[in-house]
Amino acid sequence: MAAAAACRAAAGGRRPAVRGLLALLEREMLCSRRCLVTSRQLYSVVHDPNERTFEKLLIANRGEIACRVIKTCKKMGIKTVAIHSDVDSNAALEGVTFIGPDTHAIQAMGDKIESKLLAKNAKVNTIPGFDGVVKDADEAVRIAREIGYPVMIKASAGGGGKGMRIAWDDEETREGFRFSSQEAASSFGDDRLLIEKFIDNPRHIEIQVLADKHGNALWLNERECSIQRRNQKVVEEAPSTFLDPETRRAMGEQAVALAKAVKYSSAGTVEFLVDSSKNFYFLEMNTRLQVEHPVTECITGLDLVQEMIRVAKGYPLRHKQADIPINGWAVECRVYAEDPYKSFGLPSIGKLSQYQEPLHLPSVRVDSGIQQGSDISIYYDPMISKLITYGSNRAEALKRMEEALDNYVIRGVTHNISLLREVIIHPRFVRGDISTKFLPEVYPDGFKGHKLTDLERRELLATAASLYVAEQLRSQRFLGTPRIPIAKSQRSSWELSVHLGDGVYPVAVSKDGSSFSVEVDGMKLNVTGEWNLASPLLSVTIDGTQRTIQRLSRNASGNTSIQFLGTVYKLQILTKVAAELSKYMPEKAAEDTSNILRSPMPGTVVAVSVKPGDTVAEGQEICVIEAMKMQNSMTAAKTGKVKAVHCKAGDTVGEGDLLVELE
């Protein structure tokens, strides 16, 4: 608890947000022992107690990265301080060693324009484009025409997909310039932009590098990061299914050459775009510990945080290039508080009312910076955690990921587990046929969730019906004794009507000892389980097939929500008599949304482009909403006249809030 005490001393009893961070860090230190037991096989720290490094580290990160650094520091016997008070702010200027590369390398690689010029000089393959700063939208159009469409407009100081737009014509270039410069200014305090040729349908593959202060540098193999939405990574893995040893070596050697060119000393990542012919082009270098670093730790056995600490202290690297292995396969899924049914993931906010990580499963690692009760707000990235699984081969790692996603309990916010699960089981992903356009190509009409096969539909109906009956039986008992001692023997069969999607299905259930025999579509299924209805996870076996499900909600009207194969399905379960009577109940009329615009996400209104009385055309921008530093243009669904505007620049809006009405 030394680190927590240090945090308290540094905080000096200040802001509530500080106290919340202290509580989180204290929780993290208490649970880190449990987490590390599960994760030990995924990476290791071989610490020599005679090798002195640092007594105390000031961690200038937040969330899961801060917690990740604390874990390694604890194993190395280093005290940690996550924050400091205002009066101590100048103490960073004396007697402090920065864990990471020097200022020159950070500045050079943090500026995409300068980094591209340095990469060219280091004989690194680069993307054709304009290497200067684009002054305005007119110049952007001129440059784009010279390069040839399509082009990529991106922030010089950018990263994380922010400040990036693809333009296919002059109009999109002007719009992209506006949005990219605004996002860049908001996210990085620097609105400079550059324009490059857009490499269509590429893979995004990056090389992890590690360098010391003695001129030694290594490449620690690659990470495949092609599954993206809005230029932000969603699923990563190591190694890549696409690279052969020769291409891997060539990319690694160019990455090391760039690191040496800027006298880089620490862990860093050189990102490349790779086309279908395995030609690769420098994209950028990230001078920090990447979100996806755990998959590299899994296949190499190295603790990158420990290596960064050793390098900062001045020690030479302990390994040679020939020592760096590829052992097994690792997959990482970024679990976000997002609605994947909206543009593959628009932010969701709220409080984590229930949260349980799947650390009881083998070869599973979870890097997170939250806990049950944490708030997900609009002010930070909506990532809940990084879920990592490891296997001796890719198939094993993917199977473990599938199980981990099914066993992950997240309540209180909308999350993207359904999308993650669908990606990793999709035939194209399984065979390694991926690119940065995977999501829009596989789901051209947007993500709709898992599409049930006939067998899976029967399994879901049988499971839901069995749950209903198990609950009916439980409600008849109190402390294991019938409520009415003189009652006759318990009922043993039920005739139900289950509404799922657009269908209504008759289901017959009979109890057979501890299991249920369920008839659906004229077929009988045997359903067994422990039926612990208070548990967030329910393990059921349907005709020998084990499934882990979650019942998220239910009410007295028979409505229930069940997470099955990653996707949440809404069902209504009624007795046969109740179903017959329900047809006489009036249905609530659906809202006419053709003349209104509602916010699809929580965020802040950046600009409003219309006023009452204006005539707008279909597709015309009405307003811009910023969420998690990303700007989203809200457009008119049809041509019409503006009747009322219910928002103004600077307003905070919630999901579903009314923005504009048309006549």
Side-chain angles (χ1 to χ4, degrees):
M1 302 308 294
C7 288
R8 288 198 191 92
R14 291 178 181 263
R15 299 179 300 275
V18 169
R19 293 196 294 272
L21 178 58
L22 293 177
L24 174 62
L25 292 174
E26 192 168 68
R27 189 274 307 182
E28 177 62 35
M29 286 179 277
L30 286 171
C31 81
S32 62
R33 300 182 188 89
R34 172 174 60 88
C35 299
L36 288 171
V37 167
T38 308
S39 304
R40 186 171 293 126
Q41 69 272 34
L42 305 187
Y43 69 100
S44 63
V45 175
V46 181
H47 175 56
D48 181 358
N50 297 317
E51 185 180 79
R52 294 183 58 83
T53 54
F54 301 97
E55 293 184 2
K56 185 182 296 185
L57 252 62
L58 173 67
I59 302 173
N61 295 82
R62 64 179 297 277
E64 51 86 19
I65 285 291
C67 296
R68 164 68 186 88
V69 173
I70 287 173
K71 289 178 182 178
T72 290
C73 288
K74 283 176 65 65
K75 290 187 289 184
M76 295 179 70
I78 300 173
K79 297 178 181 179
T80 54
V81 179
I83 50 177
H84 58 76
S85 64
D86 295 337
V87 295
D88 291 332
S89 60
N90 290 333
L93 303 178
E94 185 176 349
V96 169
T97 300
F98 179 70
I99 308 297
D102 61 26
T103 305
H104 165 70
I106 293 175
Q107 291 177 341
M109 293 295 101
D111 187 309
K112 286 184 170 59
I113 296 173
E114 184 178 354
S115 66
K116 187 174 180 180
L117 294 173
L118 286 167
K120 280 185 176 181
N121 293 333
K123 308 301 182 187
V124 176
N125 303 345
T126 58
I127 301 172
F130 180 70
D131 297 333
V133 177
V134 183
K135 297 177 182 178
D136 53 37
D138 289 337
E139 186 178 41
V141 169
R142 179 181 61 78
I143 293 169
R145 289 175 177 174
E146 291 175 357
I147 296 172
Y149 288 110
V151 297
M152 173 68 82
I153 304 168
K154 57 185 180 182
S156 176
K162 297 179 176 66
M164 297 178 67
R165 290 291 191 281
I166 300 168
W168 294 82
D169 54 39
D170 292 356
E171 183 180 351
E172 290 187 0
T173 299
R174 292 183 185 278
E175 184 180 80
F177 181 89
R178 176 165 68 97
F179 281 122
S180 293
S181 59
Q182 289 173 354
E183 285 181 3
S186 174
S187 300
F188 316 112
D190 184 345
D191 63 357
R192 293 177 303 140
L193 302 177
L194 70 152
I195 299 181
E196 295 176 334
K197 180 68 177 177
F198 175 61
I199 307 298
D200 195 18
N201 211 35
R203 287 175 179 256
H204 185 137
I205 300 177
E206 60 192 29
I207 300 292
Q208 177 72 58
V209 296
L210 181 65
D212 62 23
K213 300 177 185 295
H214 305 277
N216 304 306
L218 304 171
W219 47 274
L220 308 182
N221 302 310
E222 79 278 3
R223 295 187 287 258
E224 173 71 73
C225 307
S226 296
I227 306 299
Q228 303 181 3
R229 52 96 180 93
R230 298 192 300 278
N231 298 309
Q232 293 179 313
K233 303 162 190 172
V234 179
V235 178
E236 300 102 347
E237 60 181 311
S240 168
T241 60
F242 189 62
L243 296 190
D244 53 62
E246 292 75 22
T247 308
R248 177 179 295 116
R249 184 182 307 108
M251 293 176 69
E253 289 173 352
Q254 287 199 16
V256 165
L258 179 59
K260 289 185 175 181
V262 292
K263 297 181 171 55
Y264 197 86
S265 60
S266 192
T269 299
V270 181
E271 303 193 1
F272 294 94
L273 291 181
V274 185
D275 67 18
S276 58
S277 299
K278 297 184 180 176
N279 300 306
F280 56 91
Y281 306 93
F282 170 72
L283 187 62
E284 65 182 1
M285 182 175 188
N286 285 300
T287 58
R288 63 180 185 273
L289 191 65
Q290 287 281 83
V291 170
E292 57 272 22
H293 77 274
V295 293
T296 296
E297 293 183 324
C298 290
I299 67 167
T300 63
L302 298 178
D303 183 321
L304 293 181
V305 174
Q306 182 190 24
E307 299 302 325
M308 293 173 71
I309 292 172
R310 293 187 70 260
V311 167
K313 187 62 177 177
Y315 291 110
L317 297 181
R318 297 178 292 180
H319 308 283
K320 303 297 183 183
Q321 189 63 58
D323 300 332
I324 306 303
I326 297 181
N327 288 329
W329 212 283
V331 180
E332 174 180 290
C333 285
R334 299 192 187 194
V335 181
Y336 282 106
E338 290 182 338
D339 185 348
Y341 298 93
K342 297 178 179 178
S343 300
F344 300 113
L346 292 183
S348 170
I349 62 172
K351 184 185 290 290
L352 288 170
S353 58
Q354 193 169 13
Y355 183 74
Q356 182 177 308
E357 297 172 347
L359 292 171
H360 60 287
L361 300 176
S363 298
V364 171
R365 169 177 166 182
V366 182
D367 285 11
S368 66
I370 50 89
Q371 60 181 338
Q372 187 165 303
S374 293
D375 285 311
I376 307 295
S377 75
I378 65 173
Y379 302 108
Y380 295 105
D381 185 275
M383 190 168 71
I384 294 173
S385 73
K386 303 179 302 194
L387 177 63
I388 306 100
T389 56
Y390 174 79
S392 58
N393 53 51
R394 189 169 186 259
E396 187 176 57
L398 289 177
K399 183 60 179 176
R400 285 174 172 167
M401 178 60 73
E402 186 180 339
E403 294 172 355
L405 290 167
D406 284 342
N407 282 268
Y408 208 145
V409 178
I410 304 172
R411 310 281 171 84
V413 297
T414 304
H415 54 74
N416 67 333
I417 280 180
S418 57
L419 174 63
L420 297 172
R421 195 183 190 281
E422 285 303 292
V423 168
I424 66 164
I425 67 171
H426 194 279
R428 268 191 59 179
F429 182 86
V430 171
R431 66 176 180 262
D433 178 16
I434 61 175
S435 73
T436 56
K437 297 176 70 174
F438 177 88
L439 290 179
E441 286 180 350
V442 171
Y443 309 106
D445 299 320
F447 179 67
K448 308 296 183 185
H450 181 71
K451 185 177 181 180
L452 294 169
T453 64
D454 287 342
L455 175 60
E456 291 167 346
R457 175 179 54 81
R458 289 192 290 269
E459 288 181 350
L460 175 57
L461 292 171
T463 300
S466 299
L467 271 172
Y468 173 87
V469 171
E471 188 162 53
Q472 294 298 309
L473 293 174
R474 187 184 70 166
S475 67
Q476 296 173 11
R477 305 184 67 84
F478 180 71
L479 295 178
T481 304
R483 290 182 176 179
I484 305 175
I486 61 174
K488 296 180 180 180
S489 59
Q490 288 185 342
R491 184 177 172 184
S492 60
S493 63
W494 293 259
E495 289 189 0
L496 305 175
S497 175
V498 184
H499 190 165
L500 171 64
D502 296 327
V504 178
Y505 305 91
V507 179
V509 183
S510 59
K511 194 173 188 305
D512 183 12
S514 61
S515 63
F516 296 102
S517 178
V518 185
E519 184 174 338
V520 184
D521 295 343
M523 301 180 65
K524 286 192 175 182
L525 296 88
N526 183 263
V527 184
T528 61
E530 295 183 1
W531 311 114
N532 179 6
L533 303 182
S535 172
L537 295 172
L538 293 171
S539 177
V540 298
T541 301
I542 311 153
D543 282 349
T545 301
Q546 191 275 333
R547 304 287 193 193
T548 299
I549 68 167
Q550 300 183 38
R551 188 174 66 170
L552 306 182
S553 66
R554 63 179 177 84
N555 61 26
S557 300
N559 296 304
T560 186
S561 295
I562 295 176
Q563 183 173 312
F564 177 75
L565 302 177
T567 294
V568 177
Y569 295 94
K570 294 182 179 180
L571 307 94
Q572 186 181 41
I573 307 172
L574 300 173
T575 63
K576 186 176 181 180
V577 173
E580 287 293 324
L581 295 174
S582 67
K583 67 178 65 174
Y584 300 105
M585 297 292 290
E587 293 186 6
K588 183 179 178 181
E591 180 186 31
D592 181 8
T593 60
S594 61
N595 292 324
I596 61 175
L597 175 66
R598 294 187 180 277
S599 177
M601 77 205 94
T604 302
V605 178
V606 175
V608 178
S609 307
V610 299
K611 63 182 183 300
D614 287 354
T615 298
V616 295
E618 181 181 350
Q620 180 179 331
E621 181 178 289
I622 289 180
C623 63
V624 177
I625 295 179
E626 181 178 279
M628 279 80 174
K629 301 297 184 182
M630 297 291 287
Q631 296 195 358
N632 304 272
S633 177
M634 304 292 106
T635 59
K638 69 174 188 178
T639 299
K641 191 174 184 179
V642 177
K643 177 181 178 181
V645 178
H646 298 277
C647 63
K648 64 181 183 300
D651 284 356
T652 298
V653 295
E655 181 181 353
D657 284 2
L658 182 60
L659 302 175
V660 174
E661 291 181 85
L662 302 180
E663 291 182 354

